[in-house]
Amino acid sequence: MDKHISVREQIQQNIARRKKRPFKLEKVAPVSLFIAALISVLTTVGIVLSLVFDAAMFFKQVPFWEFFGSTNLSPLSHTDPKFGILPLINGTIITSLIAMCVAIPIGLTSAIYLSEYASARVRKIVKPLMEVVAGIPTIVYGFFAYSFVTPLLTHIIPSLGAKNALSPGIVMGIMIIPLVTSLSEDAMSSVPNSMREGALALGSTKLEMTFKVIIPAALSGIIASFVLAVSRAIGETMIVTIASGSSKNFTFDITQSMQTMTAYIVEFTSGDAGSGTIGYYSLYAVGLTLFVFTLIMNLVAGYISRKFREGY
Amino acid sequence: MKSGRNQRIMLRQTMDKSMKNLFFLATMFALLVLGILIYQVVTQGASWLDWQFLSGKLSLNPERAGILGVIVGTVLLMVVVGPVTMILGVCTAIYLEEYAKKSKLRNFIQVNISNLAGVPSVIFGLLGLAVFSRMFNLGSSILAGGLTMSLLVLPIVVVASQEAIRAVPQYLREASYGMGATKWQTVRRVVLPAALPGILTGFILSLSRAIGETAPLVVLGIPVLIMPIPNSLMSDFTALPIQIYYWTLDAVLVQEYANLAAATIIVLLVILFAMNSLAIFIRNKYQKRY
Amino acid sequence: MNQAVTEHLQNSAVSEGHEIESKPSVIQTKGLDLWYGDSQALYDINMDVQENQVTAIIGPSGCGKSTYIKTLNRMIELNDSVKTKGEIIYRGRNIFSEYSVEELRTQVGMVFQKPNPLPKSIYENVVYGPRVHGIRKKQVLDEIVERSLRGAAIWDEVKDRLHKDAYGLSGGQQQRLCIARTLAFEPEVILMDEPTSALDPISTAKIEELIQQLKTQYTIVIVTHNMQQAARISDKTAFFLNGKLIEFDQTVKIFSNPNDKRTEDYVSGRFG
């Protein structure tokens, strides 16, 4: 240690040298990072532009009012193809409604249980399992709906078609339960404990406390979770494609096959081979409608939950 | 008077207890279905799952069908998705957390990312079809599918990385700046290493989402039941979820296809389970020590 | 003030009194104002820090002492809303306009309130600064590590586990490691922002002893809200109140016979 190297001098030299030749990475880094961040914006732009452009090509050939006003959907007819989207919207809404009938009551009660009743240990086991339920690929649920739930339901409803709206609706609902549960539970557990203590001190049972204090206080967060759940159901593709089939009839009979917007897109795509045909452009018209539906839902949910966060 | 009051309290307590049990049953419902699903898939597919199935080529004859090409397709797809999402996702997160500060632009990008996360996956398929397949002329190749899938799962990596970066305490940055480090040096040598476990966890979760995602690939792809084993990123391909889809659809024609689908699902679920376990392992092992 | 400290001060006043005046100043602060957004935190600060001395800054919480010391190496600029007016001259050059922050911070090092080792090994913590500034030879780095750890009086405690995680050290050891890490790039001035406030009394004593050794080679500015500490270790003391420098003088003078009534009230424990 006798020979002292002057670190200070060496560092000052290095800094002076770097000053003359400005450290390039330092300048390049923020620019490249910014460009990477722009990709996500470009993705949105790309989605909107590709949907709008190709949908515009579609509306050159099919009048707007016919698309949104007609219940006649027969895209494959050689003589006179018809493009009314109403059967698809109908199918989408009906399957989503069935899903909500499952997801909302069960998701919400699970949230109540986990937030207000369950012990820490139970929560620690149940929550990761719920994540597993949410993480199962939708194609697997589709297979499950088609090859297990539909045959099972046929025992109860003999008239049930091999493809129907009921079975995928129910399975979709099960798939969405974890979404409703986790978001509603977040909303409920962020209700301050003082409100719980207040209610319990007045002699309420936990049940009364939950329904009279906690749920009202967490209501907007809970509703936001419902709206997001609807949005998920509307955009869900594989379950309905497999189990609900491709009937283009405009019907309210949930024991029969009906097609959703998403299933239509999957059915009629054939890679880039079909590009340029009216069938190809119709995918984008349907896609644009679907995009607008889900975007509105997501924005509403975002708005509600922002309001909610302002509450405390 | 008094006994009436007691009765009411008893009633309320009974109500509370029975509702509690009802809530518990509701919570168990989803888990029960999960159990049935796994049981059903395993009983239907397990006997088909042998070495020949894993190592063979696709075939119209269910007895001889194997999914080697399908597995290769999924692996090659991840070869594209992995680096692309990792690089784009982490860079975006660094930009938003370390460079953009509280600007309007940052807000805009942030809102944009959370909206992207809510766009249905089938729409990404349409995007990929219009941009990668047609505009860039990539057709139905693995590259086109991988890039489409990367954009789909990008928000997952971005959000996870942002959270990980935000969780790096400010005093570590101060330590680095205090020694005269530049911003980039601080990010690269202190912030990123400290955030790495969180970033990796998000990355693995995004890959497991990409492995199971079907709709965008089906929109891009050509519906053929038999596809040769892909040999480059420009090959047409099939992947585990697509093959499950085709076999399920065609089970109407050949019943055994449903069993092949079930066997493929087992493979898919095992892969997903392994990946999620890895993510949990990383999260637990590298929990914060500062 | 307790009796012992007062006596200590009087003794040191006798022995060191004259020397102090003759030292050249290293950092001169001229008319410094500072704002966080719209609220002003420092008002017209004027003071000189002198070479090879310990300058203590005392005052109640929120008086601006921490803000001031962070301004001296421009760490305060990590907060985007900060605006400054006035000059700080270090070695004849204005730190705001004639230095890059990187250059300034290698000459004016800093030790923070809470020990903040990087989540790396002890060795890596010490070589972080030199590495960042382009020193890469292993042999040189090895020498730096030993010299710095010896300088911070922690070498003997850690020499057998240089490649172990720095977070395995006790709080006091971590803080001495942070000092060693600062010594590694051989700054001229070391700023210490309440370096012992998170430590136990024994660790505190070790650090104070270390500061006494360091001042022979380094100029030290230390913020503390422990008045006894300021009295024990510093040569000059500045008293801050509500963002203003109330009084700046020999430590002995501040603690025994301050000019300002407010200083007297503070050092005698009437508020703060």
Side-chain angles (χ1 to χ4, degrees), chain C residues 153-244:
Chain C
I154 190 182
W155 172 251
D156 291 332
E157 291 159 67
V158 300
K159 65 180 177 209
D160 298 327
R161 46 171 169 157
L162 289 179
H163 297 282
K164 295 269 165 60
D165 191 0
Y167 279 82
L169 299 174
S170 73
Q173 287 173 323
Q174 287 183 18
Q175 193 62 300
R176 276 180 288 149
L177 173 63
C178 291
I179 293 174
R181 189 175 69 178
T182 308
L183 302 183
F185 51 87
E186 297 183 0
E188 193 171 11
V189 181
I190 301 176
L191 308 174
M192 299 186 171
D193 186 6
E194 304 197 23
T196 61
S197 66
L199 304 181
D200 61 88
I202 294 170
S203 305
T204 301
K206 280 190 184 159
I207 301 251
E208 288 184 8
E209 198 188 316
L210 179 58
I211 290 172
Q212 291 303 321
Q213 289 166 19
L214 290 176
K215 91 176 203 193
T216 57
Q217 289 180 56
Y218 302 90
T219 304
I220 293 171
V221 182
I222 180 170
V223 163
T224 175
H225 61 211
N226 176 339
M227 280 178 283
Q228 279 89 342
Q229 184 170 66
R232 281 193 298 266
I233 63 174
S234 70
D235 303 301
K236 289 185 84 171
T237 296
F239 172 58
F240 276 59
L241 185 63
N242 298 331
K244 295 187 180 99

Side-chain angles (χ1 to χ4, degrees), chain C residues 33-272:
Chain C
D33 292 310
L34 185 143
W35 293 263
Y36 290 107
D38 292 331
S39 74
Q40 189 162 1
L42 293 177
Y43 297 85
D44 191 29
I45 307 294
N46 293 284
M47 66 181 268
D48 287 4
V49 174
Q50 287 169 328
E51 198 169 51
N52 293 52
Q53 280 196 351
V54 176
T55 304
I57 301 174
I58 60 169
S61 319
C63 68
K65 57 188 193 296
S66 212
T67 299
Y68 174 68
I69 197 173
K70 283 184 186 154
T71 312
L72 293 181
N73 69 345
R74 293 176 59 186
M75 282 297 283
I76 198 76
E77 290 172 18
L78 291 187
N79 184 329
D80 293 327
S81 66
V82 162
K83 285 188 294 271
T84 55
K85 217 181 87 185
E87 286 183 330
I88 297 180
I89 308 293
Y90 167 66
R91 289 288 175 209
R93 285 149 71 195
N94 186 339
I95 66 162
F96 296 113
S97 54
E98 294 170 79
Y99 280 91
S100 68
V101 280
E102 290 80 25
E103 186 186 2
L104 177 69
R105 287 172 192 163
T106 55
Q107 301 185 32
V108 183
M110 186 159 213
V111 176
F112 298 84
Q113 187 166 3
K114 185 170 171 263
N116 58 351
L118 300 170
K120 300 172 188 283
S121 70
I122 295 168
Y123 183 93
E124 288 295 322
N125 264 280
V126 179
V127 299
Y128 184 88
R131 273 226 180 107
V132 152
H133 298 292
I135 296 179
R136 296 205 174 80
K137 273 197 206 127
K138 173 138 181 17
Q139 188 206 345
V140 180
L141 292 175
D142 285 350
E143 278 192 48
I144 290 175
V145 168
E146 182 170 351
R147 195 162 61 223
S148 310
L149 290 171
R150 279 188 195 282
I154 190 182
W155 172 251
D156 291 332
E157 291 159 67
V158 300
K159 65 180 177 209
D160 298 327
R161 46 171 169 157
L162 289 179
H163 297 282
K164 295 269 165 60
D165 191 0
Y167 279 82
L169 299 174
S170 73
Q173 287 173 323
Q174 287 183 18
Q175 193 62 300
R176 276 180 288 149
L177 173 63
C178 291
I179 293 174
R181 189 175 69 178
T182 308
L183 302 183
F185 51 87
E186 297 183 0
E188 193 171 11
V189 181
I190 301 176
L191 308 174
M192 299 186 171
D193 186 6
E194 304 197 23
T196 61
S197 66
L199 304 181
D200 61 88
I202 294 170
S203 305
T204 301
K206 280 190 184 159
I207 301 251
E208 288 184 8
E209 198 188 316
L210 179 58
I211 290 172
Q212 291 303 321
Q213 289 166 19
L214 290 176
K215 91 176 203 193
T216 57
Q217 289 180 56
Y218 302 90
T219 304
I220 293 171
V221 182
I222 180 170
V223 163
T224 175
H225 61 211
N226 176 339
M227 280 178 283
Q228 279 89 342
Q229 184 170 66
R232 281 193 298 266
I233 63 174
S234 70
D235 303 301
K236 289 185 84 171
T237 296
F239 172 58
F240 276 59
L241 185 63
N242 298 331
K244 295 187 180 99
L245 175 59
I246 303 298
E247 194 167 351
F248 180 42
D249 214 327
Q250 307 300 332
T251 299
V252 193
K253 177 90 163 53
I254 293 281
F255 282 94
S256 54
N257 182 23
N259 286 335
D260 197 288
K261 178 77 170 60
R262 288 166 295 182
T263 312
E264 193 187 342
D265 286 350
Y266 183 72
V267 299
S268 59
R270 252 171 243 152
F271 71 96

